[in-house]
Amino acid sequence: MSEKLQAVRGMNDILPDEAELWQRFEDTVTGCLKSYGYRNLRTPVVEPTQLFRRAIGEETDIVAKEMYSFTDRLNGEELTLRPEATASIVRAAIEHNLLYNGPQRVFSVGPMFRHERPQKGRYRQFYQVDAEALGFAGPDIDAELILLTARMWDDLGLTGIRLELNSLGSVAERSQHRRELIAYFTGHQTALDDDSRRRLQTNPLRILDSKNPAIQELIAGAPQLLDHLGADSLAHFDALQAMLHDSSIPYRINPRLVRGLDYYNLTVFEWITDRLGAQGTVCGGGRYDGLIEQLGGKPQPACGFAMGIERLIDLMRDAGEIAAPYLDAYIVHQGERATPLAFRTAEALRSGGFDVVLHCGGGGFKAQMKRADASGAHYAIIIGDDEAARGEVTLKTLRDERPQQRLAADTVAERLADLMIGPD
Ligand code: HAM
């Protein structure tokens, strides 16, 4: 026997039973995005490596350790499987002059790739819904993005997801804070762990993000960026908070929320749940006013977020959501005359908007009825040669004991429509 092959570690198959829930999730979320005027944009999964280096930052974990980068053997190009969507969307917006006619609200859904250590809620291929508001200076759009996510949780039937908020200020405010952080942590270098000592040279802000219990006290005493915000940054942050109050969206200010990508300024936020263990952040985002210029576009402000679909699907399952397969009818047929009538009937039903499986592969009535029962269909439509000769079919409910009925084949779509909307 040939050796069995397996999927790459950290990359999952989503089988039909689970995919039904994914479909429901995506329908709900894209419906919600549409109701806020967001339009779909799709970018390639592979981009020039340079794009992510410049956008996300050389010193971030993503760029330093997690990217699937390779040289295209055929032409020597340096390429990377996208680890996130924001850089690609900004690249596309610049390349196609998307902001020429004013600001744009766009969204994208698809797989991202990061070479992380796989565990529950953390994968090497994972899916994100990503929404970006390009060309808006906020803070109204920041508030709208947060309202939109809150509505999504509602529409998905999810509770217990809390909002954390912070402001990273301007570039100048951040570099002043950075100097103070370096001075503070340098004064306590012996108390730092290896990771944080390395970050002290490269990305001291990320030390604040450390989960190591041994250095939490040290972090708690570090200078806070919020104390360094100038009047403009404070006004932006205050206005956002006022809008959230006004919309009754509860939140907590977390001065240590710094995010793992370098492009942010001013508003950053995360939605977090305690129900998923260590990987509880289901959505993260913020403002990135410098990125469009940094990637070669005309300077334009922007703000956005991305949510991890696997984590949200886990939450939906946790909330008792199951997606039963849905099928209106299963057509059982046997005989030379029966089969063409079965095909015609199936097509007529599909034209009438019904979801129908036509039994394929032959077999006796009994075996076919077993398949019909297992399919989850509401009705079986049974066609034998005798019935076919009279242009008739038998309609049988699979969910209750109502008696089966004979009817003319060309009336079956109409009859099914009556039954579906009538009292069950
Ligand atoms: P991020 O925080 O890196 O932000 O990712 C957003 C979300 O993607 C996370 O909160 C999490 O739910 C999910 N996620 C990230 N890594 C994994 C993984 N390895 N396995 C499963 N889920 C994961 C961004 O990607 C930014 N582009 C968000 C953004 C958009 N900011 C502005 N616009």
Side-chain angles (χ1 to χ4, degrees):
M1 265 224 309
S2 301
E3 187 196 347
K4 270 197 216 151
L5 296 173
Q6 287 191 331
V8 176
R9 189 163 126 79
M11 303 195 180
N12 300 312
D13 300 308
I14 297 148
L15 301 178
D17 274 351
E18 204 185 340
E20 308 239 355
L21 204 52
W22 280 65
Q23 191 68 52
R24 192 189 302 166
F25 171 87
E26 281 170 23
D27 290 349
T28 306
V29 163
T30 51
C32 190
L33 281 158
K34 209 164 153 275
S35 76
Y36 283 78
Y38 282 75
R39 296 170 67 210
N40 192 210
L41 181 155
R42 301 173 192 217
T43 60
V45 173
V46 178
E47 295 275 0
T49 300
Q50 202 50 27
L51 172 66
F52 302 115
R53 290 189 173 280
R54 270 166 62 186
I56 301 172
E58 297 279 355
E59 301 303 339
T60 58
D61 283 351
I62 297 178
V63 171
K65 302 193 256 188
E66 297 168 359
M67 292 209 299
Y68 283 93
S69 298
F70 57 97
T71 309
D72 185 331
R73 233 171 359 106
L74 299 178
N75 61 9
E77 279 182 294
E78 296 297 329
L79 303 175
T80 292
L81 296 185
R82 63 178 179 195
E84 61 116 38
T86 311
S88 310
I89 290 175
V90 168
R91 195 248 333 118
I94 297 169
E95 191 170 330
H96 304 286
N97 212 2
L98 215 63
L99 301 187
Y100 182 75
N101 288 324
Q104 297 282 335
R105 291 173 170 87
V106 294
F107 76 94
S108 204
V109 183
M112 308 295 152
F113 303 85
R114 296 184 193 174
H115 196 109
E116 297 195 77
R117 198 165 47 77
Q119 63 181 83
K120 184 176 151 49
R122 190 164 73 189
Y123 309 103
R124 291 180 174 170
Q125 174 174 328
F126 59 97
Y127 288 76
Q128 282 185 345
V129 176
D130 190 284
E132 308 292 354
L134 305 170
F136 295 90
D140 47 2
I141 199 81
D142 306 17
E144 188 191 88
L145 280 162
I146 290 174
L147 251 63
L148 157 60
T149 39
R151 183 182 290 276
M152 281 185 190
W153 314 147
D154 248 15
D155 290 356
L156 292 166
L158 299 176
T159 53
I161 308 179
R162 61 175 192 279
L163 175 64
E164 294 200 349
L165 202 62
N166 193 16
S167 174
L168 299 183
S170 66
V171 176
E173 288 152 8
R174 250 198 336 276
S175 46
Q176 169 62 19
H177 176 241
R178 185 187 151 100
R179 279 193 292 277
E180 294 193 17
L181 268 188
I182 293 178
Y184 172 80
F185 284 120
T186 308
H188 296 85
Q189 248 198 79
T190 44
L192 288 177
D193 56 20
D194 286 350
D195 226 22
S196 302
R197 219 169 289 129
R198 188 176 51 79
R199 286 192 167 138
L200 184 54
Q201 308 307 327
T202 56
N203 197 349
L205 200 60
R206 286 305 302 277
I207 300 178
L208 303 180
D209 216 15
S210 166
K211 305 281 180 300
N212 181 355
I215 63 169
Q216 292 308 305
E217 212 174 305
L218 189 62
I219 289 173
Q224 293 200 354
L225 180 52
L226 275 181
D227 298 331
H228 290 89
L229 293 188
D232 288 352
S233 299
L234 270 179
H236 189 109
F237 200 35
D238 288 345
L240 167 62
Q241 291 181 61
M243 290 176 208
L244 294 180
H245 275 298
D246 202 48
S247 309
S248 306
I249 305 274
Y251 63 90
R252 183 177 85 90
I253 294 178
N254 175 1
R256 289 170 49 183
L257 180 67
V258 296
R259 308 274 301 128
L261 306 94
D262 280 355
Y263 48 60
Y264 293 109
N265 67 299
L266 294 173
T267 312
V268 286
F269 63 91
E270 283 186 352
W271 288 93
I272 302 166
T273 173
D274 295 323
R275 297 211 188 117
L276 296 178
Q279 307 304 323
T281 306
V282 291
C283 174
R287 183 156 278 287
Y288 51 94
D289 294 330
L291 185 61
I292 299 182
E293 185 180 17
Q294 200 180 313
L295 293 180
K298 215 170 101 222
Q300 294 261 23
C303 190
F305 66 75
M307 48 181 72
I309 301 187
E310 286 83 355
R311 296 181 189 182
L312 287 160
I313 295 280
D314 273 352
L315 273 189
M316 284 171 80
R317 229 185 273 112
D318 195 57
E321 289 276 330
I322 38 159
Y326 185 84
L327 199 58
D328 294 309
Y330 191 103
I331 302 190
V332 164
H333 58 100
Q334 195 184 28
E336 257 171 48
R337 286 181 162 196
T339 299
L341 182 60
F343 266 87
R344 282 202 302 279
T345 306
E347 289 302 324
L349 284 170
R350 290 170 190 137
S351 299
F354 295 105
D355 298 338
V356 178
V357 164
L358 173 73
H359 182 85
C360 286
F365 276 120
K366 209 167 155 205
Q368 291 192 35
M369 279 307 291
K370 255 193 186 163
R371 292 276 180 87
D373 271 329
S375 72
H378 286 256
Y379 294 93
I381 293 166
I382 305 158
I383 312 176
D385 265 349
D386 290 351
E387 283 144 319
R390 291 193 299 273
E392 286 179 351
V393 303
T394 298
L395 185 65
K396 179 175 168 38
T397 65
L398 294 172
R399 300 290 175 85
D400 57 45
E401 297 300 319
R402 275 178 292 178
Q404 58 186 45
Q405 44 185 296
R406 279 265 169 92
L407 60 161
D410 54 7
T411 63
V412 73
E414 214 175 295
R415 183 82 193 105
L416 218 51
D418 285 348
L419 285 167
M420 292 285 181
I421 53 167
D424 215 31

